Amino acid sequence: MSETWIRLLVLTCVFGAVLLTMETLIRGVLNSRSEVRATNQRLKMIGEGVSRSDALSLLRRRDSSLPTGLPPLLSSLALRFERTLIAAGVTMPTGRLVLMLLAAPIALLVLIVLFMLAIGAALGAGRVFLLITFCAILGTALPLFFLQFRANRRRKRMQDQFPVALDVFVRGLRAGHPIAAALDLLTVEMPDPIGSQFGIVVDEVTYGADLRDALAGMADRWNLEDMRMFVVSLSVQSETGGNLAEILENLSKVIRERASMMMKVRALSSEGRMTAIMLTALPVLAFVALFMGNPRFYLDVSDDPAFIPGFSVLIAMYFIGFITIRRMVDLKV
């Protein structure tokens, strides 16, 4: 066999091996995605051997609350942080997560200081202040931004799924299922995040909670007006009677009309919201990227006496701008 045929055979074998490898990888990714769509986080945890009570505790964050007796401002911030973690789908206890967010910048600062001492670099007050700011942004601010981004995305998905869940619930009621069985149908048929949240409601009712209290707790955890209207509809129907399926069908239409109006408002305000995102994220990302790529750009001027006051004023102006922009783009519909 000539050398040309040997090379052609080798290239054919290599091409076939690469093609089979890519086909196997793509098939595995598609199968994993289909499994993720078919189940939700609660069912995954139960399938992995976690008991229903433990899954309920983790998803509802019942055992991860922050200490009580905090001042009103800190208590409000703690409640918002808990809701952000629930919306982001984080099951880690809040105390442990807060400890990690506080320890990460300290550990990063210690490592950088030890490295600078090892190479013989000077550590003035300006450099220490700059390093503290950099470590706080990299270790705490960026993870919080990521959690907030993930929470907003899952909350938006929750709003989009809720009318569909009402339609499934109405079909279950019209098929003759009781309310508990219709809710249990949502826990199997609906993906995350709404599938796991209705699963929490079903588990709470199973362990003795009232249905309206369980649904009200879900509405409070997610802070969504659509869920509150759903709870009010169930409460009014249970007290006055009536066709629950027809009530919920009308509620689904109202929610869809509200969603259509909100989409129009978001479309009209998209330029302002995108400007707010860029003005909020760009200074932080630019500072971190430039400091990591060329730290001398900041370190060479950090020994100047005017650096600490000027940098402090810059940080204060950033937070003032951040709060102002958030209030400008926070539209209520």
Side-chain angles (χ1 to χ4, degrees):
M1 184 178 293
S2 63
E3 184 178 353
T4 303
W5 285 103
I6 293 176
R7 289 182 178 178
L8 183 61
L9 181 61
V10 171
L11 292 176
T12 304
C13 293
V14 172
F15 175 76
V18 172
L19 182 62
L20 290 175
T21 303
M22 294 301 298
E23 183 181 359
T24 303
L25 292 176
I26 293 174
R27 185 180 301 173
V29 171
L30 293 178
N31 289 336
S32 63
R33 288 185 177 180
S34 63
E35 292 176 359
V36 170
R37 293 193 185 100
T39 59
N40 53 56
Q41 188 178 12
R42 171 179 168 272
L43 295 180
K44 285 182 181 178
M45 295 174 67
I46 295 175
E48 292 172 356
V50 180
S51 64
R52 293 182 64 177
S53 59
D54 293 338
L56 173 63
S57 177
L58 291 173
L59 293 175
R60 199 178 59 175
R61 310 191 66 83
R62 182 177 58 189
D63 299 330
S64 61
S65 300
L66 294 172
T68 58
L70 296 174
L73 180 60
L74 292 180
S75 179
S76 176
L77 292 177
L79 180 60
R80 291 184 58 184
F81 186 66
E82 285 276 348
R83 288 177 175 175
T84 300
L85 295 181
I86 292 174
V90 179
T91 58
M92 181 183 297
T94 306
R96 187 187 305 173
L97 184 59
V98 170
L99 182 61
M100 291 177 60
L101 291 175
L102 295 178
I106 297 175
L108 186 60
L109 178 63
V110 171
L111 292 177
I112 295 177
V113 169
L114 291 178
F115 174 75
M116 294 184 66
L117 292 177
I119 63 176
L123 284 176
R127 294 193 174 190
V128 173
F129 183 70
L130 182 63
L131 291 177
I132 291 175
T133 305
F134 171 75
C135 294
I137 293 176
L138 190 61
T140 302
L142 291 182
L144 288 177
F145 282 157
F146 172 76
L147 288 175
Q148 187 65 44
F149 171 77
R150 184 176 178 182
N152 291 336
R153 187 173 60 179
R154 283 171 56 88
R155 188 176 285 111
K156 177 65 169 56
R157 191 184 308 164
M158 186 81 164
Q159 290 177 337
D160 295 338
Q161 290 176 335
F162 195 69
V164 180
L166 286 182
D167 292 340
V168 176
F169 186 68
V170 168
R171 292 191 187 101
L173 292 177
R174 288 179 173 173
H177 296 290
I179 294 179
L183 286 176
D184 191 62
L185 182 64
L186 296 176
T187 67
V188 180
E189 297 295 333
M190 297 298 296
D192 269 339
I194 200 166
S196 295
Q197 295 304 314
F198 274 109
I200 293 174
V201 172
V202 172
D203 288 342
E204 289 178 343
V205 173
T206 303
Y207 289 112
D210 184 72
L211 177 60
R212 286 177 294 178
D213 294 338
L215 291 172
M218 181 179 69
D220 291 336
R221 286 193 299 269
W222 286 82
N223 195 25
L224 295 178
E225 296 298 329
D226 297 342
M227 290 186 178
R228 291 192 173 94
M229 289 192 294
F230 175 59
V231 175
V232 171
S233 300
L234 286 179
S235 301
V236 172
Q237 191 274 337
S238 63
E239 294 177 359
T240 61
N243 191 344
L244 180 60
E246 184 178 356
I247 293 173
L248 296 182
E249 186 177 9
N250 294 331
L251 177 61
S252 177
K253 294 180 181 179
V254 172
I255 291 175
R256 283 190 168 90
E257 291 176 357
R258 290 183 68 250
S260 177
M261 183 181 297
M262 290 181 64
M263 290 179 64
K264 292 180 181 179
V265 173
R266 288 178 62 87
L268 295 174
S269 63
S270 59
E271 182 180 356
R273 289 186 293 106
M274 184 56 64
T275 302
I277 294 174
M278 295 300 298
L279 292 179
T280 300
L282 188 59
V284 177
L285 296 178
F287 171 73
V288 173
L290 186 58
F291 190 86
M292 295 179 65
N294 185 20
R296 296 186 63 86
F297 181 83
Y298 293 103
L299 294 177
D300 290 343
V301 298
S302 60
D303 295 328
D304 191 281
F307 176 78
I308 295 180
F311 200 64
S312 301
V313 172
L314 184 65
I315 295 175
M317 292 178 64
Y318 172 80
F319 280 106
I320 293 174
F322 172 76
I323 296 173
T324 303
I325 292 175
R326 286 294 300 270
R327 289 185 176 181
M328 291 175 61
V329 301
D330 188 14
L331 302 177
K332 302 295 184 181
V333 181

